Amino acid sequence: VAMPGAAVTHRPQCIAYVEITCSPRLRLAAARSIAQHALALTVELSTGGADILVTVCAADLPTMSHYILEHLSEVEGVLSTRLRLATRLYSEGGSWRLRVLPQATAAAFERLRSEAMSPGERSDAAGSMPSQMKAIITQLAIDGRTSYAELADRADTSPTTARRWVSELLSSGVLILRTDVSAQDAGWPVETYLWATAPIHNLKDTARRLSLMREARLTATVAAGPVIALSTWLRTVEELHRIELSIAEQIPELQVVDRLIVIRVVKRMGRLRSEERRVGKECRSR
């Protein structure tokens, strides 16, 4: 799947995490309705300080504001929203690894990726983007495996130009291609979010240290409320306490102020999840 890259997501107005309180009986229906919104990248049902957590990506702050006030808040069942604007991403799911490949193989893949994104090849793809390039982004968001011939056909250009534009989008960081895995099938079935405060003078260093944790899927600084968002994948719910204890020992100046545990993923990175239907069938058959 294709998704916005660091060149876009490092802009504070582009990414936000929205905590939603819902009417209990309309909780699932509200999540499914929100999942149909194009700006809602990820929609998760959670337990803790919010009933639903939505990751929103917008072009700018006015667009974000319009979406929150005119669309998200109008969904039936939504009682309140709390917006946390990201200021910078230090790690995201596309960089998380299962660590099942031999070390030499993994290192070879990393070298190939670094060579493909060498500074000498970077361009200002985000600066001026023709309509054909936008068409390519849209198609890759639908199917990240689309061939250059297909991309050329969709964008009304040549395969050579399509290949060059894809290279520019990837090398500039405007777009990244990632393959997500099922947390359950990968053996990391517990998904959590931690909101934490930390002294502003060493905020960057604190966020970087958190991003190096094995369990960290997302590490971001945010502009409202707690200044750090940390999303983790864990093997058991009990590990959440171990993670917090480890953080307290290694980064004593950081204080966790809220926790969310994901109980169902309705949409992830623009993709509706079909597994909820499979799980529902399994429950009914027992």
Side-chain angles (χ1 to χ4, degrees), residues 83-134:
L83 179 69
R84 304 188 192 277
L85 289 167
T87 57
R88 183 172 179 180
L89 298 184
Y90 289 81
S91 64
E92 48 79 31
S95 61
W96 188 79
R97 301 290 181 263
L98 285 171
R99 300 184 184 179
V100 295
L101 290 175
Q103 189 172 356
T105 304
F109 277 122
E110 290 298 330
R111 282 196 300 271
L112 288 172
R113 186 175 67 160
S114 297
E115 291 169 4
M117 299 180 65
S118 61
E121 297 178 4
R122 290 182 182 272
S123 66
D124 187 22
S128 56
M129 191 178 293
S131 59
Q132 292 99 326
M133 188 177 282
K134 293 179 181 178

Side-chain angles (χ1 to χ4, degrees), residues 165-227:
W165 279 343
V166 169
S167 177
E168 289 179 6
L169 288 166
L170 295 176
S171 64
S172 65
V174 170
L175 197 70
I176 65 173
L177 298 176
R178 57 181 274 185
T179 300
D180 258 327
V181 297
S182 163
Q184 184 77 34
D185 294 335
W188 301 79
V190 181
E191 303 178 52
T192 73
Y193 287 85
L194 300 179
W195 305 108
T197 59
I200 198 68
H201 67 272
N202 62 350
L203 182 59
K204 290 183 179 179
D205 180 64
T206 300
R208 288 193 186 99
R209 291 170 68 184
L210 285 173
S211 69
L212 297 175
M213 293 173 54
R214 171 70 179 101
E215 298 85 356
R217 285 272 297 183
L218 165 76
T219 309
T221 50
V222 291
V227 292

Side-chain angles (χ1 to χ4, degrees), residues 49-61:
D51 296 318
I52 302 174
L53 182 67
V54 184
T55 302
V56 180
C57 181
D60 50 41
L61 191 56

Side-chain angles (χ1 to χ4, degrees), residues 2 130-143 146 148 150-152 154-158 161-166 169 175:
S131 59
Q132 292 99 326
M133 188 177 282
K134 293 179 181 178
I136 285 176
I137 291 176
T138 300
Q139 180 56 35
L140 287 175
I142 296 171
D143 183 2
T146 303
Y148 290 118
E150 256 188 287
L151 288 175
R154 297 294 179 91
D156 192 24
T157 188
S158 69
T161 301
R163 181 188 293 269
R164 175 171 58 82
W165 279 343
V166 169
L169 288 166
L175 197 70

Side-chain angles (χ1 to χ4, degrees), residues 202-270:
N202 62 350
L203 182 59
K204 290 183 179 179
D205 180 64
T206 300
R208 288 193 186 99
R209 291 170 68 184
L210 285 173
S211 69
L212 297 175
M213 293 173 54
R214 171 70 179 101
E215 298 85 356
R217 285 272 297 183
L218 165 76
T219 309
T221 50
V222 291
V227 292
I228 290 180
L230 173 67
S231 173
T232 65
W233 278 15
L234 308 174
R235 297 189 185 280
T236 66
V237 174
E238 184 183 7
E239 284 189 30
L240 182 59
H241 296 309
R242 180 183 60 78
I243 288 292
E244 288 195 43
L245 180 60
S246 177
I247 291 173
E249 293 173 346
Q250 297 179 42
I251 316 175
E253 64 272 22
L254 183 140
Q255 181 180 3
V256 175
V257 297
D258 199 5
R259 306 152 188 83
L260 296 178
I261 296 179
V262 176
I263 58 175
R264 179 178 294 183
V265 179
V266 179
K267 184 181 185 181
R268 171 167 286 147
M269 297 314 301

